[in-house]
Protein backbone atom coordinates (compact mmCIF):
# COMPACT_ATOMS: atom_id res chain seq x y z
CA UNK A 1 0.00 0.00 0.00
CA UNK A 2 1.37 3.44 -0.93
CA UNK A 3 2.22 5.35 2.22
CA UNK A 4 1.71 8.65 0.37
CA UNK A 5 -2.02 7.97 -0.01
CA UNK A 6 -3.89 9.93 2.61
CA UNK A 7 -7.25 8.89 4.03
CA UNK A 8 -10.08 10.83 2.40
CA UNK A 9 -11.30 13.92 4.19
CA UNK A 10 -14.80 12.42 4.11
CA UNK A 11 -13.85 9.36 6.15
CA UNK A 12 -11.80 11.35 8.69
CA UNK A 13 -14.02 14.34 9.35
CA UNK A 14 -17.58 13.20 8.71
CA UNK A 15 -19.40 11.35 11.48
CA UNK A 16 -20.10 7.71 10.57
CA UNK A 17 -23.77 8.23 11.36
CA UNK A 18 -23.98 10.84 8.59
CA UNK A 19 -22.24 8.53 6.14
CA UNK A 20 -24.52 5.66 7.08
CA UNK A 21 -27.62 7.77 6.46
CA UNK A 22 -26.26 8.83 3.06
CA UNK A 23 -25.54 5.21 2.14
CA UNK A 24 -28.98 4.08 3.31
CA UNK A 25 -30.61 6.75 1.15
CA UNK A 26 -28.52 5.80 -1.86
CA UNK A 27 -29.38 2.13 -1.38
CA UNK A 28 -33.06 3.01 -0.76
CA UNK A 29 -33.13 1.53 2.73
CA UNK A 30 -35.23 4.06 4.69
CA UNK A 31 -36.13 1.60 7.44
CA UNK A 32 -32.43 0.86 8.05
CA UNK A 33 -31.84 4.60 8.40
CA UNK A 34 -34.74 5.00 10.80
CA UNK A 35 -34.21 1.89 12.93
CA UNK A 36 -30.51 0.93 12.93
CA UNK A 37 -29.62 2.79 16.15
CA UNK A 38 -32.66 1.58 18.10
CA UNK A 39 -32.26 -2.03 16.92
CA UNK A 40 -28.54 -1.82 17.65
CA UNK A 41 -29.19 -0.67 21.19
CA UNK A 42 -31.76 -3.43 21.72
CA UNK A 43 -29.39 -6.07 20.38
CA UNK A 44 -26.51 -4.81 22.53
CA UNK A 45 -28.71 -4.94 25.62
CA UNK A 46 -29.90 -8.46 24.74
CA UNK A 47 -26.47 -9.73 23.73
CA UNK A 48 -27.58 -10.43 20.15
CA UNK A 49 -24.74 -11.06 17.66
CA UNK A 50 -24.14 -9.12 14.42
CA UNK A 51 -25.83 -11.55 12.01
CA UNK A 52 -29.05 -11.45 14.05
CA UNK A 53 -28.79 -7.67 14.32
CA UNK A 54 -28.65 -7.46 10.51
CA UNK A 55 -31.45 -10.00 10.24
CA UNK A 56 -33.72 -7.85 12.40
CA UNK A 57 -33.00 -4.79 10.28
CA UNK A 58 -33.58 -6.70 7.04
CA UNK A 59 -36.89 -8.06 8.31
CA UNK A 60 -38.05 -4.58 9.31
CA UNK A 61 -36.98 -3.18 5.94
CA UNK A 62 -38.81 -5.90 4.06
CA UNK A 63 -42.02 -5.51 6.09
CA UNK A 64 -41.96 -1.74 5.61
CA UNK A 65 -41.24 -2.08 1.89
CA UNK A 66 -44.15 -4.49 1.42
CA UNK A 67 -46.41 -2.09 3.32
CA UNK A 68 -45.39 0.83 1.10
CA UNK A 69 -45.87 -1.26 -2.03
CA UNK A 70 -49.34 -2.30 -0.89
CA UNK A 71 -50.26 1.32 -0.11
CA UNK A 72 -49.10 2.28 -3.60
CA UNK A 73 -51.30 -0.43 -5.17
CA UNK A 74 -54.27 0.89 -3.20
CA UNK A 75 -53.60 4.45 -4.41
CA UNK A 76 -53.26 3.31 -8.03
CA UNK A 77 -56.54 1.37 -7.78
CA UNK A 78 -58.37 4.69 -7.35
CA UNK A 79 -60.92 3.39 -4.88
CA UNK A 80 -63.45 6.14 -4.00
CA UNK A 81 -63.22 4.92 -0.39
CA UNK A 82 -61.46 2.03 1.31
CA UNK A 83 -63.76 -0.68 2.63
CA UNK A 84 -63.17 -4.18 3.95
CA UNK A 85 -65.31 -7.23 4.57
CA UNK A 86 -64.85 -6.74 8.31
CA UNK A 87 -67.34 -3.86 8.15
CA UNK A 88 -69.84 -5.64 5.89
CA UNK A 89 -73.11 -6.65 7.56
CA UNK A 90 -73.77 -10.12 6.17
CA UNK A 91 -76.75 -10.55 8.54
CA UNK A 92 -78.56 -7.75 6.72
CA UNK A 93 -78.11 -9.46 3.35
CA UNK A 94 -79.21 -13.11 3.82
CA UNK A 95 -79.36 -13.76 0.05
CA UNK A 96 -75.62 -13.16 -0.26
CA UNK A 97 -73.48 -16.28 -0.16
CA UNK A 98 -71.09 -15.34 2.68
CA UNK A 99 -68.88 -18.41 2.28
CA UNK A 100 -68.40 -17.60 -1.42
CA UNK A 101 -67.47 -13.99 -0.64
CA UNK A 102 -64.92 -15.11 1.94
CA UNK A 103 -63.53 -17.61 -0.55
CA UNK A 104 -63.24 -14.85 -3.18
CA UNK A 105 -61.33 -12.73 -0.65
CA UNK A 106 -58.53 -15.31 -0.89
CA UNK A 107 -58.08 -14.04 -4.48
CA UNK A 108 -57.44 -17.42 -6.11
CA UNK A 109 -60.05 -16.49 -8.74
CA UNK A 110 -57.82 -13.60 -9.79
CA UNK A 111 -54.90 -15.95 -10.41
CA UNK A 112 -57.26 -18.10 -12.49
CA UNK A 113 -58.44 -15.03 -14.46
CA UNK A 114 -62.07 -15.62 -13.60
CA UNK A 115 -64.87 -13.07 -13.19
CA UNK A 116 -67.29 -11.98 -10.48
CA UNK A 117 -70.67 -10.37 -11.11
CA UNK A 118 -72.66 -8.88 -8.23
CA UNK A 119 -76.35 -8.37 -9.02
CA UNK A 120 -78.97 -6.60 -6.95
CA UNK A 121 -80.91 -3.36 -6.45
CA UNK A 122 -79.37 -0.11 -5.33
CA UNK A 123 -78.08 0.14 -1.77
CA UNK A 124 -77.63 -3.56 -0.94
CA UNK A 125 -73.84 -3.47 -0.64
CA UNK A 126 -72.61 -4.36 -4.13
CA UNK A 127 -70.07 -1.55 -4.19
CA UNK A 128 -68.96 -2.30 -0.63
CA UNK A 129 -68.35 -5.92 -1.60
CA UNK A 130 -66.48 -4.91 -4.75
CA UNK A 131 -64.29 -2.47 -2.83
CA UNK A 132 -63.56 -5.06 -0.15
CA UNK A 133 -62.55 -7.67 -2.72
CA UNK A 134 -60.44 -5.06 -4.47
CA UNK A 135 -58.68 -4.21 -1.20
CA UNK A 136 -58.04 -7.90 -0.55
CA UNK A 137 -56.51 -8.17 -4.03
CA UNK A 138 -54.17 -5.25 -3.31
CA UNK A 139 -53.14 -6.89 -0.05
CA UNK A 140 -52.40 -10.12 -1.93
CA UNK A 141 -50.09 -8.31 -4.34
CA UNK A 142 -52.40 -7.85 -7.34
CA UNK A 143 -52.73 -4.66 -9.36
CA UNK A 144 -56.30 -3.34 -9.27
CA UNK A 145 -58.27 -0.73 -11.18
CA UNK A 146 -61.63 0.60 -9.98
CA UNK A 147 -64.10 2.64 -12.03
CA UNK A 148 -67.80 3.03 -12.65
CA UNK A 149 -69.19 1.88 -15.99
CA UNK A 150 -70.22 5.44 -16.91
CA UNK A 151 -66.81 6.89 -16.00
CA UNK A 152 -65.04 4.14 -17.93
CA UNK A 153 -67.05 4.75 -21.10
CA UNK A 154 -66.46 8.50 -20.79
CA UNK A 155 -62.73 7.91 -20.36
CA UNK A 156 -62.63 5.57 -23.35
CA UNK A 157 -64.44 8.03 -25.61
CA UNK A 158 -62.20 10.86 -24.47
CA UNK A 159 -59.11 8.74 -25.14
CA UNK A 160 -60.42 7.89 -28.60
CA UNK A 161 -60.92 11.57 -29.43
CA UNK A 162 -57.41 12.38 -28.17
CA UNK A 163 -55.85 9.45 -30.09
CA UNK A 164 -54.61 7.65 -26.98
CA UNK A 165 -57.21 4.89 -26.95
CA UNK A 166 -54.70 2.11 -27.60
CA UNK A 167 -52.59 3.10 -24.60
CA UNK A 168 -55.65 3.19 -22.33
CA UNK A 169 -56.87 -0.17 -23.63
CA UNK A 170 -53.46 -1.68 -22.93
CA UNK A 171 -53.53 -0.30 -19.39
CA UNK A 172 -57.01 -1.69 -18.77
CA UNK A 173 -56.02 -5.07 -20.20
CA UNK A 174 -52.87 -5.48 -18.14
CA UNK A 175 -54.29 -4.73 -14.68
CA UNK A 176 -54.78 -8.00 -12.78
CA UNK A 177 -58.26 -7.07 -11.50
CA UNK A 178 -60.55 -4.55 -13.15
CA UNK A 179 -63.63 -3.54 -11.14
CA UNK A 180 -66.47 -1.93 -13.12
CA UNK A 181 -69.14 -0.65 -10.77
CA UNK A 182 -72.74 0.41 -11.46
CA UNK A 183 -73.30 -1.13 -14.89
CA UNK A 184 -76.95 -0.47 -15.66
CA UNK A 185 -77.51 2.99 -14.19
CA UNK A 186 -76.71 4.92 -17.38
CA UNK A 187 -77.48 3.75 -20.96
CA UNK A 188 -74.63 4.09 -23.45
CA UNK A 189 -74.44 5.26 -27.02
CA UNK A 190 -73.62 2.65 -29.66
CA UNK A 191 -70.00 3.84 -29.73
CA UNK A 192 -69.72 3.82 -25.93
CA UNK A 193 -71.18 0.32 -25.71
CA UNK A 194 -68.76 -0.97 -28.33
CA UNK A 195 -65.77 0.57 -26.53
CA UNK A 196 -66.88 -1.01 -23.25
CA UNK A 197 -67.35 -4.37 -24.96
CA UNK A 198 -63.82 -4.10 -26.34
CA UNK A 199 -62.44 -3.69 -22.80
CA UNK A 200 -64.22 -6.81 -21.56
CA UNK A 201 -63.32 -8.73 -24.70
CA UNK A 202 -59.61 -7.94 -24.34
CA UNK A 203 -59.68 -9.06 -20.72
CA UNK A 204 -61.40 -12.36 -21.51
CA UNK A 205 -59.17 -15.11 -20.10
CA UNK A 206 -56.40 -12.52 -19.77
CA UNK A 207 -57.37 -10.90 -16.47
CA UNK A 208 -60.01 -11.03 -13.75
CA UNK A 209 -63.00 -8.68 -13.96
CA UNK A 210 -65.57 -7.76 -11.32
CA UNK A 211 -68.82 -6.12 -12.41
CA UNK A 212 -71.68 -4.83 -10.29
CA UNK A 213 -75.11 -4.18 -11.77
CA UNK A 214 -78.58 -3.27 -10.58
CA UNK A 215 -80.08 -5.07 -13.59
CA UNK A 216 -80.65 -8.78 -14.21
CA UNK A 217 -78.87 -10.14 -17.27
CA UNK A 218 -81.98 -10.07 -19.46
CA UNK A 219 -82.19 -6.28 -19.04
CA UNK A 220 -78.59 -5.44 -19.95
CA UNK A 221 -79.71 -4.77 -23.52
CA UNK A 222 -81.43 -1.61 -22.26
CA UNK A 223 -77.99 -0.26 -21.33
CA UNK A 224 -75.88 -1.61 -24.18
CA UNK A 225 -78.53 -1.00 -26.84
CA UNK A 226 -77.87 -4.13 -28.87
CA UNK A 227 -78.93 -7.72 -28.28
CA UNK A 228 -75.99 -8.96 -30.33
CA UNK A 229 -73.47 -6.96 -28.31
CA UNK A 230 -75.12 -7.89 -25.01
CA UNK A 231 -75.07 -11.58 -25.90
CA UNK A 232 -71.41 -11.46 -26.87
CA UNK A 233 -70.52 -9.56 -23.70
CA UNK A 234 -72.37 -11.95 -21.40
CA UNK A 235 -70.84 -14.91 -23.22
CA UNK A 236 -67.38 -13.67 -22.22
CA UNK A 237 -68.19 -12.45 -18.72
CA UNK A 238 -70.10 -15.55 -17.66
CA UNK A 239 -67.77 -18.20 -19.08
CA UNK A 240 -65.69 -18.37 -15.88
CA UNK A 241 -67.84 -16.52 -13.36
CA UNK A 242 -68.90 -16.36 -9.72
CA UNK A 243 -72.29 -14.68 -9.33
CA UNK A 244 -73.19 -12.84 -6.13
CA UNK A 245 -76.96 -12.38 -5.80
CA UNK A 246 -77.79 -9.54 -3.44
CA UNK A 247 -81.51 -8.99 -3.08
CA UNK A 248 -82.99 -7.14 -0.15
CA UNK A 249 -83.81 -3.77 1.30
CA UNK A 250 -81.41 -0.94 0.71
CA UNK A 251 -78.89 -0.43 3.54
CA UNK A 252 -79.27 3.31 3.19
CA UNK A 253 -83.07 3.13 3.32
CA UNK A 254 -82.98 0.81 6.33
CA UNK A 255 -80.48 3.07 8.12
CA UNK A 256 -82.61 6.12 7.38
CA UNK A 257 -85.70 4.40 8.80
CA UNK A 258 -83.84 3.42 11.98
CA UNK A 259 -82.57 6.97 12.40
CA UNK A 260 -86.09 8.36 12.02
CA UNK A 261 -87.39 5.87 14.57
CA UNK A 262 -84.66 6.83 17.06
CA UNK A 263 -85.41 10.53 16.60
CA UNK A 264 -89.14 9.94 16.96
CA UNK A 265 -88.86 8.19 20.37
CA UNK A 266 -87.60 11.23 22.35
CA UNK A 267 -90.30 13.40 20.77
CA UNK A 268 -93.00 10.93 21.75
CA UNK A 269 -91.59 10.72 25.29
CA UNK A 270 -91.52 14.53 25.52
CA UNK A 271 -95.12 14.77 24.35
CA UNK A 272 -96.24 12.21 26.93
CA UNK A 273 -94.35 13.94 29.70
CA UNK A 274 -95.89 17.27 28.83
CA UNK A 275 -99.46 16.04 28.66
CA UNK A 276 -101.64 16.64 31.70
CA UNK A 277 -103.59 13.63 32.95
Amino acid sequence: MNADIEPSIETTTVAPQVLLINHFKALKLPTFAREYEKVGADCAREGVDYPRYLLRLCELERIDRERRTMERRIRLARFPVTKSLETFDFMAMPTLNKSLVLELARCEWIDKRENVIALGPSGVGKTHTALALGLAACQKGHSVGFTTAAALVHELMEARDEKRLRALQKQLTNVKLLIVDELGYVPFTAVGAELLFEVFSRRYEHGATLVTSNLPFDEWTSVLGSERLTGALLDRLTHHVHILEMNGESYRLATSKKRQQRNAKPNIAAEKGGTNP
Side-chain angles (χ1 to χ4, degrees):
M1 180 176 178
N2 192 337
D4 295 332
I5 298 177
E6 297 290 338
S8 68
I9 295 176
E10 184 181 41
T11 58
T12 57
T13 61
V14 179
Q17 290 87 345
V18 175
L19 293 175
L20 275 173
I21 295 299
N22 287 334
H23 290 323
F24 289 148
K25 288 181 178 179
L27 294 170
K28 298 182 180 179
L29 299 171
T31 308
F32 267 64
R34 188 176 63 250
E35 301 288 344
Y36 83 97
E37 287 186 311
K38 177 182 179 300
V39 174
D42 291 342
C43 288
R45 185 170 57 254
E46 299 168 16
V48 175
D49 57 20
Y50 287 116
R52 287 179 175 78
Y53 163 63
L54 289 174
L55 178 61
R56 287 189 185 183
L57 280 177
C58 288
E59 288 174 342
L60 288 172
E61 184 69 53
R62 183 173 180 178
I63 291 170
D64 197 43
R65 185 170 296 184
E66 289 174 351
R67 177 188 58 78
R68 294 195 305 271
T69 302
M70 182 186 69
E71 290 174 350
R72 181 173 179 272
R73 284 194 295 268
I74 293 173
R75 288 196 303 272
L76 291 176
R78 297 192 297 179
F79 297 131
V81 293
T82 303
K83 289 185 179 289
S84 70
L85 290 177
E86 294 177 358
T87 58
F88 188 88
D89 187 1
F90 285 96
M91 295 294 291
M93 191 52 52
T95 62
L96 179 61
N97 188 336
K98 180 179 179 180
S99 61
L100 174 56
V101 175
L102 296 179
E103 176 67 23
L104 293 172
R106 296 172 58 185
C107 299
E108 293 176 1
W109 63 283
I110 298 176
D111 293 320
K112 297 176 182 177
R113 300 170 185 175
E114 297 174 343
N115 300 323
V116 171
I117 302 178
L119 300 174
S122 177
V124 295
K126 299 186 302 297
T127 299
H128 186 149
T129 304
L131 288 168
L133 292 177
L135 178 62
C138 288
Q139 293 170 338
K140 293 286 187 178
H142 298 294
S143 58
V144 179
F146 181 96
T147 182
T148 64
L152 178 56
V153 169
H154 176 78
E155 188 176 7
L156 288 165
M157 296 187 70
E158 191 175 72
R160 185 200 59 164
D161 295 340
E162 297 174 0
K163 302 187 186 304
R164 52 181 180 84
L165 178 60
R166 183 170 297 180
L168 177 58
Q169 288 175 329
K170 183 178 179 181
Q171 175 188 337
L172 292 168
T173 300
N174 290 338
V175 69
K176 287 291 186 68
L177 171 61
L178 178 64
I179 301 174
V180 181
D181 195 27
E182 297 182 345
L183 178 65
Y185 288 86
V186 180
F188 305 124
T189 63
V191 174
E194 289 174 2
L195 288 172
L196 182 62
F197 169 78
E198 182 68 16
V199 170
F200 290 131
S201 182
R202 285 171 176 263
R203 291 190 60 79
Y204 174 61
E205 294 189 333
H206 184 85
T209 304
L210 192 161
V211 178
T212 75
S213 178
N214 63 317
L215 298 178
F217 292 139
D218 58 4
E219 294 183 24
W220 281 27
T221 304
S222 64
V223 177
L224 298 170
S226 164
E227 291 186 5
R228 176 190 59 81
L229 196 66
T230 303
L233 174 61
L234 287 173
D235 181 61
R236 286 160 175 77
L237 281 178
T238 60
H239 185 201
H240 309 288
V241 70
H242 305 274
I243 297 178
L244 301 176
E245 295 188 13
M246 305 173 68
N247 297 307
E249 186 179 23
S250 165
Y251 279 133
R252 290 184 286 272
L253 179 60
T255 301
S256 177
K257 287 180 178 180
K258 289 179 181 178
R259 187 184 304 113
Q260 291 176 358
Q261 291 172 355
R262 286 196 301 268
N263 292 337
K265 288 180 180 179
N267 295 333
I268 292 173
E271 290 175 2
K272 288 183 177 180
T275 303
N276 292 326

